[in-house]
Amino acid sequence: MSSLLPVAEALERVLASATPAQPLVELPLIDALGAVLARDIVSGVDVPGADNSAMDGYALRVADAGQALPVSQRIAAGAFPVPLEPGTCARIFTGAPVPPGADAVVMQEDCRQEDGRVHFTAIPAAGQHIRPRGQDVAATATVLRRGRVLRPQDLGLLASVGRALVPVYRPLRIAVLATGNELLEPGAGPLGSGQVYNSNRFTLAGLVRSLSMTFVDAGIVRDDARATAAALQQAASRADCVITSGGVSVGEEDHVKAQVQRLGELQLWKLAIKPGKPLAFGRIGRTPFIGLPGNPSSVFVTFCLVARPFLRKLQGISEPEPPLLQARAAFAVSAPGSRQEYLRVSLRAVGGALEAVPFGNQSSGVLSSVSHSNALAVIPPGATVSEGDMVQVMLLDLLA
Ligand code: AMP
Ligand code: MG
């Protein structure tokens, strides 16, 4: 227990124990933003359903384009064209079906009307400005795969193949319990001596909701063994996972780990992570449990690094881990640390590259460091960094 567990190993262990088992529900497409697709979706229709015009202009046979052509029909979007008579062209608008027989569209800017005929300034290539049937999605294509979080453009894509209902995994219910005698809810009055407002509840509620999961408010529990046991049990009965903040260090007032041990199973790790370090993982009865540290920015970082991938996997997401990008360090780390450090940084674009500028105070109690940053820069244990070196970064917008 005395040696520090590397972040990657902790992640591997928590991911190995995340067994997705959420039941499938059918949601109206309009309500499915952020939900996780529970089945592969096969289109069943071609998109577009017919060859159609990409431009406002004239549809014609390429072979006829050398001569001025009379207009034999007018086709607007949603209209039904008749076959194009040879030696004529059709007035056509963007999105309108191309008439059988036509093999190109000339945009109106390249046409001239004279004596009731249309003259073409250049000979079009076959297929020009025609969007072929099935170009976006073929009828047999798998549109989206299960395990994917539905984004706005995905909802649009599913609508384009005519889906009205989508099979998704029921959102996880995540109970959040804050521990500490010193905690006061904002709005409950001015702070007394030694008190702090319960900020972790709000950070964690936001993190849970930004994963499109259901936040179950388990409130605050005092630093007391019996109260902690009751609160943990109550939280576990109401949720698919319990997350606590605080009370997992080795102090006498830290009751979470002993009570989880009594009610289920506990692994307590000292993570090689900064900010962070103490992290508990296990179950209360059969309900998964994650005990985050108490310090507000440690809560944010350990949630993003460990809890978030765990919850995403539990929810059925096929790629639960966040992508890493590269940025140029606008800072130096001269003394190598023993823990993997997640510096709160602001990324800005400088000369076509991303540059990472760290927030001034990186203390684990300073939540401003997270609020005034948009990324975490990863500094591996033992590493030093010189200004200008490339470092790995995680965008907070991809985490929360
Ligand atoms: P602990 O891990 O319980 O010893 O807490 C570590 C530090 O985090 C202490 O300074 C606590 O006051 C602070 N802390 C714990 N829980 C919260 C919370 N819910 N909101 C704000 N600060 C907290
Ligand atoms: Mg505490």
Side-chain angles (χ1 to χ4, degrees):
M1 191 56 70
S2 60
S3 67
L4 300 178
L5 185 69
V7 179
E9 209 176 312
L11 193 57
E12 206 173 291
R13 289 193 202 174
V14 301
L15 287 180
S17 68
T19 315
Q22 283 304 96
L24 181 157
V25 291
E26 293 264 349
L27 276 190
L29 186 59
I30 198 74
D31 297 324
L33 183 67
V36 181
L37 206 55
R39 294 273 178 273
D40 290 355
I41 303 293
V42 175
S43 170
V45 296
D46 286 316
V47 182
D51 292 358
N52 70 92
S53 179
M55 291 287 173
D56 293 330
Y58 296 87
L60 76 173
R61 288 182 171 77
V62 170
D64 292 339
Q67 47 186 317
L69 301 175
V71 178
S72 57
Q73 61 178 313
R74 183 179 185 279
I75 314 163
F80 191 82
V82 296
L84 184 67
E85 276 174 53
T88 74
C89 64
R91 179 69 171 126
I92 197 164
F93 300 94
T94 305
V98 172
D103 57 3
V105 168
V106 177
M107 62 187 207
Q108 60 196 30
E109 291 83 346
D110 293 338
C111 302
R112 189 165 44 82
Q113 284 252 30
E114 218 177 272
D115 308 329
R117 288 177 175 253
V118 183
H119 300 250
F120 304 96
T121 52
I123 304 291
Q128 173 181 293
H129 299 322
I130 293 177
R131 304 191 287 214
R133 172 179 182 158
Q135 149 179 284
D136 186 352
V137 182
T140 54
T142 298
V143 186
L144 294 173
R145 298 207 175 272
R146 70 190 270 236
R148 155 190 204 99
V149 179
L150 294 172
R151 301 169 302 162
Q153 57 270 48
D154 302 328
L155 301 186
L157 189 62
L158 292 170
S160 77
V161 301
R163 298 291 303 206
L165 292 171
V166 278
V168 300
Y169 295 118
R170 194 175 68 202
L172 290 169
R173 296 167 57 80
I174 311 301
V176 171
L177 175 66
T179 76
N181 288 345
E182 74 279 33
L183 301 182
L184 188 70
E185 283 301 325
L191 292 177
S193 159
Q195 288 189 312
V196 296
Y197 288 119
N198 179 9
S199 64
N200 290 344
R201 169 173 173 241
F202 295 85
T203 305
L204 289 169
L207 286 164
V208 165
R209 287 180 174 150
S210 67
L211 291 172
S212 297
M213 296 171 189
T214 305
F215 166 66
V216 177
D217 193 356
I220 298 174
V221 67
R222 310 273 127 209
D223 293 318
D224 168 84
R226 214 177 294 171
T228 301
L232 287 171
Q233 231 163 353
Q234 166 80 9
S237 70
R238 297 168 65 200
D240 301 303
C241 180
V242 175
I243 294 185
T244 60
S245 79
V248 289
S249 332
V250 288
E252 281 160 33
E253 297 296 336
D254 296 324
H255 298 284
V256 171
K257 32 183 218 302
Q259 296 314 314
V260 173
Q261 226 148 16
R262 258 175 23 90
L263 299 169
E265 197 179 291
L266 179 84
Q267 300 180 53
L268 182 68
W269 299 325
K270 282 189 180 154
L271 280 193
I273 187 174
K274 189 178 172 188
K277 208 153 151 190
L279 190 110
F281 178 69
R283 54 183 178 79
I284 300 163
R286 299 163 60 92
T287 307
F289 159 81
I290 300 175
L292 302 177
N295 274 316
S297 48
S298 304
V299 162
F300 185 89
V301 169
T302 52
F303 182 95
C304 290
L305 270 292
V306 183
R308 181 182 181 278
F310 173 80
L311 295 177
R312 277 167 58 92
K313 183 166 176 215
L314 203 61
Q315 181 69 85
I317 296 172
S318 50
E319 285 175 27
E321 293 181 62
L324 290 169
L325 306 176
Q326 297 267 325
R328 202 174 299 288
F331 59 88
V333 177
S334 47
S338 57
R339 299 184 271 166
Q340 179 138 301
E341 186 162 7
Y342 291 88
L343 289 177
R344 276 75 74 207
V345 300
S346 292
L347 295 182
R348 56 181 194 207
V350 179
L354 284 178
E355 190 178 79
V357 183
F359 186 79
N361 189 333
Q362 294 283 330
S363 160
S364 62
V366 175
L367 192 53
S368 312
S369 67
V370 188
S371 270
H372 299 306
S373 296
N374 59 14
L376 299 174
V378 189
I379 314 298
T384 57
V385 176
S386 304
E387 214 173 310
D389 284 357
M390 294 307 277
V391 292
Q392 289 193 312
V393 294
M394 292 177 174
L395 290 182
L396 296 192
D397 278 351
L398 298 178
L399 297 171

